[in-house]
């Protein structure tokens, strides 16, 4: 690891060696200085604690060391010393040393003052009157000294109490962060043997997949460049299936298709929406000619793109009565997908039909509708989809078996056990299936990220918990990273990007994302080691594993402490804070879009063609059904 040994390193793991077994406790003892104070001088030095207390994990084991003499091949991992210490004994001892030095200094001053008193040194002949005056002065000095001693003693006690409270808080936070962790596994991919195998033609087709899931490359991710074209927050990113093009949508109501490798915008067009574009996705097997979009205005629109890099038109195919945050693609279908909205409705959309939108289900808990923020189709069982929104439950439905009179049509639902009866208002801002559909990842607002086994029975608890980030201000995304979903990646209100090892729940990468303070979108490349991210900044950031040395997770400790402290402070005054903050963010960015909206509405032309569903809202006919795209 690149950091000095005396500094705290990776929370929950950072880097690890070829063998990632933890063997005993890694704390070194501290010795207090042995210097004695003289009659006139306070001690100048006290010993400093050199060891950090290791954070315990679930198995009760902590940090591991490499075996002596072990040869180190170029593997996908870092050396095994990295563990996160939220409290540093060296710092505590330094504070204690300063307190002791202050006490000894005060003691030295008092001793010197007594020696300088007339009665404290050699006898001098004086008159009786002078003796009486000196006695009075001595009494006054003694009283003042006693008062000063009491004040110093009181201050020292206050300092000790404050330091004890700080230590208790740090220890409690360290225990919280260290809970529910397990050891990092040994490296799966080894660079040199893998390269040799590829050169002789053995397992060559697996080379890229193994590289993309290598922890050593994840720990070397760094910023490659920015794509700049939008004039508002970038809310959505999506690679086409081959990974050659990247689609982005923004608060500026525009959609841009990028040739990201050369950082050039190939196509830019008006989405046809009247409010924040929340998602834009290439439909699979469509030759990158069809793009589905949804927005805060509740419209679901489809853009038809030509091979000559232009947009023919956009058409509205469905209308929600509230904001529509997410779309869910069916992996093998070029003409069908799902949408979910804050009106609690899930639409199934088939572009082959005259009336494309079909209302599949209205999500309810008892008789109360549950507004939706996210939806995802199981890639292995495409008839099943999961939704999440304005309560704490992940709900799974099967399109073939939806009967709203039977358990409101729900096939099964999951929730962390401690949130089932929680008094705080908890929402799910994003959920995704793993590459094989066996696992389901859900991000909760102002809570943590939880991993569920999608094959478990109804009501099963979570399997893993990922902590350290902050998800409070916006509808924040979460995703798997790696061809076999080896890692979990999320943005944070602190403006950073976190990557956790999926199996151990330890943070293995930590990067500064948006200067605007919030990272919302994280889109891994489908075939290469790298990803694109966006948030409140108006640009898109591209990341690739080109760093010469693995991450040292610098600054992670302080950021995690800050996130936890803010979460605890906000939880004291919980209520409808999430909805209030979300509304504030949306209103803030809507004000910046009014000039663009006015300009666009002047250019739009309505036609009689409509793909709207009969189930669509009559209240929010937010824009024309068919918009001819303007050349960009």
């Amino acid at each position: 690891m690149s950091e000095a040994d005396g500094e705290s390193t990776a929370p929950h793991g950072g880097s690890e060696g070829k063998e990632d077994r933890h063997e005993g406790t890694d704390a070194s003892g501290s010795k207090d200085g042995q210097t004695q104070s003289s009659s006139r001088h306070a001690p100048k030095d006290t010993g400093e604690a050199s060891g950090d207390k290791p954070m315990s994990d679930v198995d009760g084991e902590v940090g591991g060391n490499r075996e002596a003499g072990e040869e180190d091949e170029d593997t996908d991992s870092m050396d095994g010393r990295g563990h996160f210490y939220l409290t540093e004994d060296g710092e505590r001892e330094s504070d204690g040393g300063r307190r002791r030095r202050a006490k000894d200094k005060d003691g030295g001053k008092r001793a010197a003052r007594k020696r300088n008193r007339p009665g404290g040194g050699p006898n001098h002949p004086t008159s009786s009157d002078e003796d009486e005056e000196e006695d009075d002065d001595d009494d006054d000095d003694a009283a003042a000294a006693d008062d000063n001693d009491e004040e110093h003693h009181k201050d020292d006690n206050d300092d000790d109490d404050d330091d004890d409270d700080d230590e208790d808080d740090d220890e409690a936070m360290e225990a919280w962060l260290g809970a529910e962790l397990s050891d990092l596994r040994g490296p799966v991919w080894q660079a040199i043997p893998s390269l040799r195998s590829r050169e002789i033609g053995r397992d060559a087709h697996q080379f890229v997949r193994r590289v993309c899931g290598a922890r050593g490359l994840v720990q070397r991710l760094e910023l490659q460049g920015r794509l700049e074209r939008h004039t508002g927050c970038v809310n959505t990113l999506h690679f086409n299936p081959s990974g050659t093009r990247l689609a982005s949508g923004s608060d500026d109501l525009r959609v841009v298709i990028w040739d990201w490798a050369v950082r050039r915008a190939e196509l830019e067009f008006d989405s046809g929406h009247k409010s924040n574009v929340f998602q834009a996705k290439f439909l699979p097997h469509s030759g990158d000619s069809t793009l589905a979009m949804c927005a805060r205005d509740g419209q679901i629109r489809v853009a038809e793109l030509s091979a000559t890099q232009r947009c023919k038109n956009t058409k509205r195919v469905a209308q929600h009565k509230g904001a529509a945050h997410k779309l869910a693609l069916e992996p093998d279908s070029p003409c069908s997908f799902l949408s979910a909205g804050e009106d609690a409705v899930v639409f199934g959309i088939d572009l082959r039909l005259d009336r494309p939108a079909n209302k599949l289900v209205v999500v309810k808990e008892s008789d109360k509708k549950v507004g939706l923020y996210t939806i995802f189709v199981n890639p292995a069982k495409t008839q099943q989809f999961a939704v999440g929104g304005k309560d704490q439950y992940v709900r799974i439905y099967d399109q073939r078996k939806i009967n709203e009179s039977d358990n409101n049509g729900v096939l099964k639902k999951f929730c962390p056990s401690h949130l089932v009866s929680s008094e705080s208002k908890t929402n799910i801002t994003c959920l995704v299936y793993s590459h094989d559909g066996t696992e389901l990842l859900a991000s909760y607002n102002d809570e943590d990220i939880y991993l569920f086994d999608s094959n478990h029975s109804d009501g099963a608890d979570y399997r893993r918990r990922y902590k350290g980030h902050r998800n409070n201000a916006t509808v924040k995304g979460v995703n798997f990273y790696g061809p076999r979903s080896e890692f979990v990646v999320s943005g944070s209100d602190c403006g950073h990007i976190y990557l956790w090892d999926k199996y151990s729940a330890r943070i293995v990468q930590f990067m500064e994302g948006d200067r605007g303070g919030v990272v919302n979108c994280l889109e891994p490349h489908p075939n290469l080691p790298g990803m694109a991210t966006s948030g409140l900044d108006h640009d898109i950031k591209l990341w690739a594993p080109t760093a010469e040395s693995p991450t040292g997770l610098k600054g992670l400790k302080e950021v995690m402490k800050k996130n936890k402290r803010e979460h605890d402070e906000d939880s004291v005054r919980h209520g409808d804070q999430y909805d209030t903050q979300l509304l504030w963010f949306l209103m803030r960015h809507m004000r910046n879009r009014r000039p663009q909206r006015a300009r666009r509405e002047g250019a739009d032309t309505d036609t009689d063609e409509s793909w709207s569903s009969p189930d669509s809202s009559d209240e929010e006919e937010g824009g024309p059904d068919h918009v001819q795209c303007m050349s960009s």
Side-chain angles (χ1 to χ4, degrees), residues 225-237 246-260 262-270 309 515 533-534 537-541 596 599 630-632:
R226 295 177 172 85
L227 305 179
E228 298 178 343
R229 188 79 174 220
H230 289 289
T231 58
C233 302
V234 181
N235 304 315
T236 175
L237 299 171
L246 176 67
S248 63
S250 168
D251 287 355
D252 61 11
L253 312 183
R254 310 284 288 177
V255 173
V256 180
I257 309 299
W258 301 88
D259 184 345
W260 62 271
V262 297
R263 304 179 194 174
R264 183 182 70 241
E266 290 198 336
L267 172 64
E268 179 181 357
F269 62 91
D270 189 341
Q309 306 302 326
R515 293 185 298 270
T533 65
S534 66
D537 287 353
H538 297 176
D539 60 13
I540 300 158
K541 296 176 177 64
Q596 289 93 343
R599 184 171 63 252
M630 306 299 293
S631 59
S632 57

Side-chain angles (χ1 to χ4, degrees), residues 367-547:
D367 294 327
K368 183 180 178 181
K369 291 183 179 181
V370 179
L372 301 177
Y373 292 132
T374 181
I375 183 170
F376 209 94
V377 169
N378 187 328
K381 303 174 183 177
T382 56
Q383 294 298 323
Q384 293 184 10
F385 63 91
V387 296
K390 294 185 177 181
D391 70 359
Q392 65 270 45
Y393 292 104
V394 173
R395 293 175 174 82
I396 297 177
Y397 295 86
D398 190 320
Q399 295 186 49
R400 302 164 298 182
K401 305 175 183 178
I402 295 178
N403 180 3
E404 294 191 23
S405 61
D406 181 14
N407 195 29
N408 288 322
V410 178
L411 179 65
K412 62 178 78 172
K413 62 183 181 181
F414 303 127
C415 178
S417 56
H418 63 282
L419 295 180
V420 171
S421 58
S422 174
E423 295 181 358
S424 61
K425 186 175 182 180
T426 307
N427 304 278
I428 298 172
T429 62
C430 186
L431 56 78
V432 291
Y433 275 100
S434 61
H435 71 291
D436 57 2
T438 59
E439 295 170 321
L440 195 55
L441 196 64
S443 180
Y444 285 76
N445 77 286
D446 220 19
E447 243 281 346
D448 298 323
I449 299 169
Y450 296 90
L451 183 73
F452 300 93
D453 187 330
S454 61
N455 294 323
H456 277 178
S457 59
D458 182 32
D461 206 355
Y462 65 93
R463 292 179 55 195
R464 296 281 189 279
R465 182 178 185 175
Y466 307 97
K467 296 179 284 190
H469 75 308
R470 185 92 197 278
N471 176 12
N472 182 56
T474 57
V475 179
K476 202 166 280 74
V478 68
N479 216 332
F480 286 102
Y481 182 90
R484 293 181 176 84
S485 306
E486 293 93 340
F487 304 94
V488 173
V489 58
S490 174
S492 175
D493 291 348
C494 61
H496 291 84
I497 300 165
Y498 293 74
L499 282 109
W500 294 264
D501 176 73
K502 184 181 73 173
Y503 302 99
S504 67
R506 295 179 183 271
I507 295 175
V508 295
Q509 181 58 284
F510 169 76
M511 305 176 293
E512 185 175 359
D514 276 29
R515 293 185 298 270
V518 178
V519 179
N520 292 326
C521 304
L522 309 109
E523 179 71 3
H525 193 277
N527 307 312
L528 297 174
M531 64 178 174
T533 65
S534 66
L536 295 190
D537 287 353
H538 297 176
D539 60 13
I540 300 158
K541 296 176 177 64
L542 302 175
W543 307 84
T546 58

